[in-house]
Amino acid sequence: MNAFYCSVHEAENPELYRGKMTAVAGDSEKRRGIVVTSSYPARRKGVRTGMTANQALKLCPSLILIKPDFRLYRAYSRAFREILYSYTPMIEATSIDECYMDITGSRQFGTPLEIAEQIQRRIQNELSLPCSVGVAPNKLLAKMASDMKKPSGISVLRIRDLPQTLWGRPCGELFGVGAKTAEKLNRLGIRTIGELAQTEEKRLQSAFGVFGSWMKRAANGLDQSEVQSVPEPSKSVGHTTTLPYDVTESSEALRVLLNLSDQVARRMRKQHLLAGAVQITIRTPEMKTITRSRTLEIPTEAADDIYREAKALYLRHWDDGKPVRLLGVAAQNLTDKSAAAIQLDLFDYERQPKKEKLTEIMDKLRDKFGEDALMTAGMLEEDGTKRMKAGRTPGISFHGERGGKRENE
């Protein structure tokens, strides 16, 4: 999907946003003003993902900033995937706005190019969204082809096309090769994808290990990975939140961690998962990030268990008075609840069913009336009237939905 978040808002409100310079960004006053994506007219003015809203407005004073609406994005994501499923069940979603499709068994719908044209046309006509499509014999080349013509392009990339289409490009343009790896390749005198394709594998292995072998195969267009139509189980479930101001008091940070732990536990219970470890993330005003984790003796889905470990990690590894810009809590080493044997506390086993029933009722109430319908006393400020809504704002990053951490949406 092209400029997905901005395109969704344009589809919803064409009279406000069609053809305009727009960007989806958080609240700059609360320091969540990072551009998540920008429309193509805004990109032509230099507005890029990752810059602050204030920087974007300096480049483009007429830029329209839009607050994120992830429920809306997920609805459109489901809608465009439904269109894809009408051509094949072999679909692997890699993010909210991107999928691989294996159309080996879809010949009844036409040639690969005809199928690509049908999909692009339907998504535009039915959802008013632009997309680009890459057609290739494997996932690696399909991904690279999908990035060749944006917006609304269709590209076909075959292995025999590589010398003319890819080999003259810098190594950093090969999917999977980052900036630092490209710099190291440059220092080795390997500047283009073609040079990488022709470099001896032993030389690459000595410099990069097994990744060197992968790079050589990729530069030659070789990729044996299959489309995974069944998503991998979650490796972690977590929440992070950028705080509206630097927090220095442990008591205030712990209230945030309690909110985050509560949200992590809620998501785990929805997925019927148990946590075998807890990790916290702390980021300073200087943007230095540290993580600390601890393995649990007994897997859990309970917010108080997760919070107890998060609190202990914070107090052990962070001094009161040191400023904090961002906090996060993640449940790790996840297992399916139905397959796990939970050891009950010797002195608490009679109360365990009641606690689980109470948690179930609380979850249902919050599903129906919203997250703020119920809260624990620890989530309240000292005056008992307000709380910092960590984990309740558009600036949240969600991760672990498909096998690992997701970048900030």
Side-chain angles (χ1 to χ4, degrees):
M1 309 305 293
N2 302 145
F4 182 56
Y5 296 165
C6 287
S7 297
V8 166
H9 288 288
E10 184 174 326
E12 283 286 295
N13 297 287
E15 68 284 355
L16 292 178
Y17 303 127
R18 178 173 292 166
K20 301 290 183 62
M21 290 176 284
T22 63
V24 172
D27 190 339
S28 59
E29 294 182 0
K30 294 182 179 179
R31 304 198 309 179
R32 299 187 180 91
I34 303 298
V35 173
V36 179
T37 193
S38 56
S39 66
Y40 284 92
R43 294 180 191 187
R44 288 192 284 271
K45 293 291 185 179
V47 178
R48 293 290 182 267
T49 299
M51 65 174 48
T52 67
N54 291 335
Q55 289 173 330
L57 287 169
K58 287 180 181 178
L59 284 172
C60 183
S62 59
L63 183 69
I64 303 172
L65 293 177
I66 307 170
K67 290 184 178 182
D69 185 344
F70 292 108
R71 288 186 179 181
L72 185 63
Y73 307 148
R74 285 191 286 270
Y76 271 83
S77 179
R78 287 191 295 269
F80 90 75
R81 285 202 299 269
E82 283 301 314
I83 292 175
L84 305 187
Y85 275 116
S86 64
Y87 293 89
T88 175
M90 299 296 294
I91 293 174
E92 178 183 344
T94 58
S95 67
I96 195 172
D97 63 346
E98 190 168 32
C99 295
Y100 290 111
M101 301 173 62
D102 183 343
I103 57 168
T104 305
S106 305
R107 294 180 182 177
Q108 67 270 31
F109 299 107
T111 66
L113 185 57
E114 289 170 341
I115 292 173
E117 291 170 344
Q118 291 174 40
I119 289 171
Q120 187 182 73
R121 186 167 54 250
R122 285 188 59 187
I123 291 175
Q124 179 63 55
N125 292 342
E126 297 175 29
L127 303 177
S128 298
L129 294 179
C131 70
S132 57
V133 186
V135 182
N138 58 51
K139 290 167 64 176
L140 171 70
L141 295 183
K143 166 60 181 173
M144 303 232 7
S146 70
D147 290 331
M148 286 181 172
K149 296 178 184 178
K150 290 185 176 182
S152 300
I154 297 177
S155 300
V156 178
L157 187 56
R158 296 160 293 198
I159 291 178
R160 66 174 181 267
D161 300 328
L162 299 189
Q164 294 77 33
T165 57
L166 287 186
W167 279 8
R169 299 189 180 192
C171 292
E173 293 189 19
L174 180 64
F175 179 64
V177 175
K180 291 184 178 179
T181 301
E183 289 176 9
K184 188 173 180 179
L185 287 168
N186 283 337
R187 290 196 297 270
L188 295 173
I190 305 169
R191 295 177 174 80
T192 67
I193 297 175
E195 291 172 347
L196 178 60
Q198 296 166 19
T199 301
E200 289 187 6
E201 186 171 345
K202 288 184 178 179
R203 185 185 178 203
L204 293 171
Q205 284 180 332
S206 65
F208 300 96
V210 294
F211 186 60
S213 299
W214 178 88
M215 285 194 293
K216 181 175 176 64
R217 292 195 301 273
N220 283 283
L222 303 178
D223 176 23
Q224 299 299 320
S225 59
E226 297 182 356
V227 171
Q228 302 293 328
S229 58
V230 178
E232 296 179 5
S234 298
K235 294 181 181 178
S236 66
V237 171
H239 276 289
T240 63
T241 187
T242 301
L243 307 173
Y245 51 83
D246 292 341
V247 168
T248 56
E249 295 183 11
S250 295
S251 59
E252 195 166 5
L254 294 178
R255 276 195 294 273
V256 178
L257 291 175
L258 177 57
N259 274 275
L260 294 171
S261 300
D262 177 61
Q263 290 299 293
V264 168
R266 284 260 290 150
R267 287 180 59 207
M268 285 174 51
R269 290 194 294 271
K270 287 182 178 179
Q271 299 180 53
H272 307 289
L273 297 172
L274 298 175
V278 173
Q279 176 180 285
I280 65 167
T281 300
I282 303 170
R283 185 171 297 158
T284 69
E286 296 76 32
M287 303 303 288
K288 180 182 178 181
T289 302
I290 71 164
T291 58
R292 296 292 184 269
S293 61
R294 183 177 182 274
T295 301
L296 305 177
E297 294 182 4
I298 302 172
T300 185
E301 64 176 8
D304 52 352
D305 293 336
I306 295 170
Y307 171 65
R308 182 173 58 250
E309 298 301 331
K311 176 182 177 180
L313 287 167
Y314 183 87
L315 295 177
R316 185 181 309 135
H317 297 288
W318 202 252
D319 296 331
D320 193 30
K322 291 177 63 176
V324 175
R325 173 189 174 91
L326 171 147
L327 286 169
V329 174
Q332 298 180 322
N333 298 351
L334 302 179
T335 56
D336 191 285
K337 185 177 180 180
S338 62
I342 303 176
Q343 180 180 342
L344 298 179
D345 187 282
L346 179 62
F347 302 103
D348 198 39
Y349 71 95
E350 291 182 339
R351 295 171 55 193
Q352 188 68 22
K354 294 181 180 179
K355 289 172 66 176
E356 291 185 357
K357 186 63 177 178
L358 177 60
T359 299
E360 180 183 345
I361 293 171
M362 291 174 67
D363 283 343
K364 289 180 178 179
L365 287 170
R366 291 165 75 179
D367 287 341
K368 184 173 183 179
F369 298 109
E371 296 299 326
D372 295 339
L374 291 169
M375 64 185 73
T376 67
M379 296 178 185
L380 299 172
E381 299 284 4
E382 291 181 2
D383 63 5
T385 59
K386 296 183 294 183
R387 65 192 177 96
M388 186 178 293
K389 295 185 179 180
R392 311 276 201 256
T393 66
I396 293 168
S397 65
F398 296 90
H399 58 85
E401 297 200 5
R402 288 204 67 259
K405 186 170 181 178
R406 289 279 310 278
E407 292 301 318
N408 193 331
E409 293 179 315

